Amino acid sequence: QVQLVESGGGLVQAGGSLRLSCAASGSVFSIRSMGWYRQGPGKQRELVATIFNDGDINYEDSVKGRFTISRDNAKNTMSLHMNSLKPEDTAVYYCNAVVLRQMNLEASWGQGTQVTVSS
């Protein structure tokens, strides 16, 4: 199994920046991709960005050009650099890993970290 721990959330004014980090432990060799999801107040959880083992990256349209996802495979960490933050970015941000376990793909989740953007 893979354990994920997020850090770096907080309160920031609109236009500001934050950096989220996710540390993976356990069966990290089974990770096929990692990503960030978020769930805003009264909203469903949505994908923010994904980075695959081959380096491919996908972003949700509203964060393109503002957020940057990266991985350090040597340290088993992933980061999300968030710039030009908007109040609508306010959400709990979750670290996600897709792992291959017994020939099935499964999702592992962190506990979440709160990001609040004030206007």
Side-chain angles (χ1 to χ4, degrees), residues 2 6 12 16 20 23 27 33-34 36 41 47 53 66 68 75 80 102 111 116 118:
V2 172
E6 304 101 332
V12 64
L20 305 183
S27 302
S33 67
M34 296 186 73
W36 291 95
L47 176 64
N53 284 4
R66 300 189 299 123
T68 302
K75 297 181 179 179
L80 185 69
Q102 296 180 345
Q111 80 285 354
T116 302
S118 63

Side-chain angles (χ1 to χ4, degrees), residues 40-119:
K43 298 181 180 180
Q44 291 190 343
R45 191 174 297 190
E46 64 175 1
L47 176 64
V48 176
T50 303
I51 183 166
F52 296 88
N53 284 4
D54 63 2
D56 279 352
I57 291 174
N58 292 323
Y59 292 102
E60 192 270 329
D61 285 347
S62 69
V63 307
K64 287 180 180 177
R66 300 189 299 123
F67 290 11
T68 302
I69 190 172
S70 61
R71 280 173 71 177
D72 185 333
N73 292 322
K75 297 181 179 179
N76 297 317
T77 59
M78 176 181 63
S79 296
L80 185 69
H81 292 259
M82 305 184 293
N83 297 319
S84 303
L85 282 161
K86 305 175 181 179
E88 50 264 43
D89 294 318
T90 294
V92 178
Y93 284 70
Y94 296 91
C95 176
N96 165 270
V98 176
V99 301
L100 182 64
R101 185 168 182 238
Q102 296 180 345
M103 300 188 67
N104 293 315
L105 293 176
E106 299 179 353
S108 292
W109 296 94
Q111 80 285 354
T113 185
Q114 177 71 47
V115 171
T116 302
V117 184
S118 63
S119 57

